[in-house]
Amino acid sequence: MYSHSVIQDLDPTKLKARQFSKSTAPVSKKADNSLWTETPAERQQRLADEVSGKKRRAVDTKVDEEPSDEKKRRRMDEEVIRKGVDDYTQKLRGPALVAQHEASGKAAEKDKDDLGIWDHSRDMSLGGRLMDDSKRAKLIREAQGLGDGFGSGK
């Protein structure tokens, strides 16, 4: 397969070291790792500087860029928009399919009650007897809330 000279030409001392690329990771210039390596004396000096106001806190250096009134106003605007979208969606789509089926099921239940005390197909089938009405209502209530959690960052 390979000639003998090719194998001899591969010098293991001239091979480059193989390692992961160091340039692919994003470099954060703002990262301050001095908190991990500081001595107790450095820590005391840093705390004294923070108390006196010479330096900002090393932890949570994120500064509030907008005042609280602006945050409140933005939150209220987002809430108004969300309510408007929900109202529009309800008006456009109408009631949920579950609600429609429940309404049609109540009408069918009234007809079934007239059949008598014991109905073989109703009582012997497994369809409606796997869970009682309270468990079913609980599951439906929980499922209705599933779509709400993904609409915004709550």
Side-chain angles (χ1 to χ4, degrees):
M1 290 185 190
Y2 292 108
S3 68
H4 186 63
S5 65
V6 173
I7 296 175
Q8 286 178 342
D9 290 340
L10 293 176
D11 186 10
T13 60
K14 294 183 179 179
L15 292 175
K16 292 193 314 182
R18 295 185 176 117
Q19 53 185 301
F20 291 111
S21 175
K22 295 178 182 175
S23 63
T24 58
V27 178
S28 175
K29 295 180 181 179
K30 291 188 173 186
D32 183 20
N33 293 332
S34 62
L35 290 178
W36 292 92
T37 59
E38 69 183 358
T39 63
E42 290 173 340
R43 180 175 186 267
Q44 231 172 358
Q45 180 63 39
R46 178 182 54 83
L47 290 174
D49 290 345
E50 288 173 5
V51 169
S52 65
K54 290 181 184 177
K55 290 185 179 179
R56 279 193 295 168
R57 288 187 61 190
V59 180
D60 298 331
T61 56
K62 184 178 173 184
V63 179
D64 271 345
E65 297 171 356
E66 48 185 307
S68 61
D69 293 340
E70 182 69 25
K71 285 183 181 179
K72 288 179 184 177
R73 188 178 315 126
R74 180 179 292 166
R75 193 175 302 130
M76 292 297 289
D77 290 345
E78 289 174 357
E79 189 67 29
V80 167
I81 290 171
R82 187 174 322 143
K83 285 182 182 179
V85 168
D86 290 343
D87 292 343
Y88 176 77
T89 303
Q90 286 293 339
K91 182 175 66 172
L92 185 67
R93 293 184 186 167
L97 284 176
V98 174
Q100 291 176 5
H101 287 295
E102 283 179 352
S104 66
K106 288 179 183 176
E109 264 184 38
K110 291 179 184 176
D111 295 340
K112 285 185 180 180
D113 288 342
D114 296 338
L115 292 176
I117 297 173
W118 190 77
D119 181 21
H120 182 272
S121 62
R122 180 189 68 201
D123 294 335
M124 296 304 285
S125 68
L126 294 176
R129 300 293 179 193
L130 292 177
M131 69 174 76
D132 59 345
D133 291 336
S134 63
K135 285 184 183 177
R136 182 176 181 276
K138 180 183 174 192
L139 283 174
I140 290 173
R141 214 176 24 254
E142 289 173 355
Q144 286 173 345
L146 285 176
D148 298 341
F150 299 107
S152 63
K154 290 183 180 177

